[in-house]
Amino acid sequence: MTVHVLSVASEAYPLIKTGGLADVVGALPAALAPHDVRLTTMLPGYPAVMTALEKSQVLHRYKDLLGVEARLVVGAAGGLEIIALDAPALFTREGGPYSGPDGKDWPDNGLRFAALGRAAADVARATDLLHAHDWQAAMAAAYLRFGKEAATPSVVTIHNIAFPGYFPAQIFPALGLPPEAFTIEGVEYFGGVGFLKAGLQAADAITTVSPTYAEEIREPEFGMGLEGLITARRERVFGIVNGIDTAIWNPASDQNLAAVYDARTLRARSENRRAVEAAFGLTESDGPLFCVVSRLTEQKGMDILAAVTDALVAMGGRLAVLGSGDAKLEAAFTAAAARHPGRIGVHIGYDEALSHLLQGGADAIVIPSRFEPCGLTQLYGLRYGCVPVAARTGGLADTIVDANEAALASGVATGFLFDGVTEDGLSHALQRAITAFGHRERWRSLQKQGMKADFSWGRSGQRYAELYKRLLAPSAE
Ligand code: ADP
Ligand code: GLC
């Protein structure tokens, strides 16, 4: 029998994306379909979602959803089966999903995503299971738990525990929850309301996006104040590594590339490298071309990379940076490009097509994250023969095989991992990559090995399906 799951999130590729969450939410329905699981994706009715909806029908009208008028609209968009929460007072705005054109968070984000959770709980009652992603959707599990009817089972997935969805206690009365919900066992979190915490406390199962991160978040360094909860509920915490959409990320058919290629035609990458050089104003050289496709934040270790740009150039490397984020880091990379014309090029902004070209044309991708729940850019890099140079943390540690002597000798290495996000650690890893790049055979072997690895959704899709089915088995509770 087909299991029907409501997957709730604040982003889904190709409709609305600020990061990896969107890629994963957009890919899950196809990943689960072979396992007899039908996933309907519920999103806020942002303008980008409402205009993309086809064959839409109104499922329900709310006169008063936490104080606003709203409709649930079902339809198809971007290849997904969608339920949109059309609440113009909350979601019909210019700007991003979480912040306005000025870059500041919307002041009513608490109410916006509580409303999403409240409505999602209503919809989930008509399905077999709720699957909520990150703090923006996590309240759905709490509303189910504190609802009057028997609750639908729920899974909450942590894509990044560093975003807790914390709001001061004054928000509580507006949430429409019973007073008994405001306890440490409920939604209360450091004196206010923690949306992620509320969901994690309520969920029947918690997943996160790699096995290593599932372990790491039991520690204060990574758990961000939720390590106690994660440890207490550890028997319900599962690490399932993300897959990638191998139709969208396929170097043999990618329309964003100047030249398509596969593991046997790696030479064709040089045409893409030239396109990257042209796009970033770089001059040719024998050394490797490193790239960055990232939010420019401290989580991603971008401050450390910015600090070693002079060293990277001195070692014979070049760098193309595509990203946006902290103003200070944007300025640091722009200044590095000005210091090293032809060697460092920077594109501040978000550009999906250019991100594909970089993976297809750069020699290596640098990912010095302080923590990384899963990370997708290393997976795209591996598939594109763009060798990852990354910190040994979270999903990076789970998906990259470091090019140590043993791994090189047996031909299983796929990239370079380093411990501790420091300038020395990163410089050393970059030097290792530059040296390996000088040995053509060795570099080809790294590329080919990465391209051979299977990061499709196959196994992980099956693991989600097994988890859903376990929660639905009569003996589950
Ligand atoms: P996170 O979600 O923490 O930002 P991930 O590695 O999981 O990190 O996912 C990032 C996603 O966003 C990838 O699909 C990556 O290609 C994309 N991305 C990040 N920055 C940019 C950018 N400036 N332009 C285009 N795509 C970007
Ligand atoms: C978050 C994490 C990233 C992960 C993505 C998708 O944005 O920071 O590591 O790959 O979610 O799960």
Side-chain angles (χ1 to χ4, degrees):
M1 219 186 57
T2 305
V3 172
H4 188 192
V5 175
L6 183 71
S7 170
V8 189
S10 56
E11 326 186 352
Y13 182 87
L15 299 170
I16 177 110
K17 168 169 168 177
T18 71
L21 169 68
D23 290 2
V24 173
V25 172
L28 276 179
L32 270 302
H35 305 284
D36 226 0
V37 177
R38 172 175 158 219
L39 242 85
T40 304
T41 307
M42 180 160 172
L43 294 170
Y46 311 117
V49 172
M50 296 314 296
T51 51
L53 268 190
E54 287 171 2
K55 300 193 198 116
S56 59
Q57 280 183 344
V58 176
L59 197 67
H60 183 72
R61 286 174 202 278
Y62 291 96
K63 282 216 176 69
D64 179 4
L65 175 70
L66 307 189
V68 302
E69 275 187 44
R71 304 180 310 162
L72 291 170
V73 184
V74 58
L80 304 169
E81 190 191 329
I82 297 287
I83 296 183
L85 176 61
D86 182 29
L90 302 178
F91 301 120
T92 308
R93 302 177 180 178
E94 296 290 318
Y98 319 119
S99 53
D102 58 0
K104 291 204 185 105
D105 280 356
W106 297 113
D108 57 349
N109 270 348
L111 190 65
R112 295 171 79 225
F113 293 106
L116 178 68
R118 168 72 271 176
D122 294 338
V123 179
R125 290 208 173 86
T127 66
D128 296 314
L129 194 137
L130 167 83
H131 186 166
H133 302 269
D134 270 356
W135 74 265
Q136 296 91 341
M139 283 300 282
Y143 281 113
L144 279 178
R145 174 180 169 200
F146 291 105
K148 290 189 194 79
E149 302 147 57
T152 306
S154 59
V155 176
V156 172
T157 293
I158 303 167
H159 294 265
N160 194 339
I161 210 166
F163 297 106
Y166 174 86
F167 300 95
Q170 290 87 309
I171 198 176
F172 183 74
L175 300 180
L177 285 163
E180 65 268 21
F182 196 70
T183 67
I184 192 78
E185 297 298 319
V187 305
E188 194 265 334
Y189 180 63
F190 292 112
V193 178
F195 281 23
L196 181 60
K197 184 260 175 169
L200 297 179
Q201 197 80 56
D204 294 284
I206 296 169
T207 71
T208 187
V209 287
S210 70
T212 293
Y213 193 61
E215 297 283 324
E216 287 172 341
I217 55 177
R218 292 192 201 176
E219 305 297 329
E221 186 190 347
F222 295 100
M224 310 278 168
L226 288 168
E227 59 276 4
L229 187 163
I230 297 293
T231 306
R233 305 207 69 205
R234 62 184 169 278
E235 269 152 36
R236 292 170 182 269
V237 179
F238 306 91
I240 305 178
V241 73
N242 289 329
I244 62 173
D245 188 324
T246 50
I248 295 167
W249 292 93
N250 181 1
S253 60
D254 193 328
Q255 294 301 307
N256 302 297
L257 301 182
V260 294
Y261 61 93
D262 61 24
R264 284 165 318 194
T265 55
L266 276 167
R267 277 165 186 275
R269 289 184 101 258
S270 56
E271 199 174 327
N272 296 321
R273 190 187 304 112
R274 279 195 293 278
V276 171
E277 286 165 353
F280 285 83
L282 301 173
T283 45
E284 275 181 50
S285 111
D286 293 337
L289 170 55
F290 294 93
C291 77
V292 163
V293 179
S294 182
R295 295 188 279 121
L296 301 181
T297 64
E298 288 202 3
Q299 174 199 335
K300 300 289 181 182
M302 286 297 141
D303 50 324
I304 300 293
L305 178 59
V308 304
T309 45
D310 295 348
L312 182 149
V313 171
M315 290 186 268
R318 290 171 297 155
L319 178 67
V321 177
L322 168 61
S324 62
D326 295 355
K328 264 216 283 228
L329 292 171
E330 292 181 355
F333 282 110
T334 305
R339 283 198 307 278
H340 301 287
R343 303 274 117 183
I344 298 184
V346 174
H347 186 101
I348 300 296
Y350 194 93
D351 188 329
E352 194 76 25
L354 194 53
S355 77
H356 285 244
L357 181 65
L358 281 165
Q359 299 279 15
D363 299 299
I365 181 161
V366 191
I367 315 171
S369 306
R370 289 191 166 79
F371 62 93
E372 195 60 77
C374 178
L376 295 175
T377 57
Q378 83 280 16
L379 301 181
Y380 301 143
L382 289 165
R383 184 148 164 84
Y384 278 62
C386 183
V387 175
V389 180
R392 194 192 310 273
T393 186
L396 298 169
D398 288 336
T399 55
I400 298 166
V401 182
D402 178 56
N404 60 36
E405 286 308 318
L408 279 174
S410 53
V412 296
T414 60
F416 299 88
L417 289 171
F418 64 97
D419 293 295
V421 178
T422 61
E423 291 175 32
D424 279 353
L426 175 56
S427 295
H428 184 61
L430 292 169
Q431 182 61 66
R432 287 174 66 210
I434 290 169
T435 306
F437 187 77
H439 296 86
R440 224 179 159 65
E441 292 290 298
R442 193 177 294 181
W443 194 261
R444 278 279 187 266
S445 154
L446 283 170
Q447 289 180 299
K448 288 190 173 171
Q449 200 56 31
M451 293 178 84
K452 242 191 347 204
D454 179 8
F455 291 110
S456 68
W457 271 101
R459 268 210 325 238
S460 297
Q462 186 173 353
R463 291 207 53 203
Y464 277 114
E466 283 165 6
L467 176 64
Y468 296 158
K469 287 173 189 173
R470 203 175 330 144
L471 294 175
L472 292 171
S475 61
E477 240 128 322

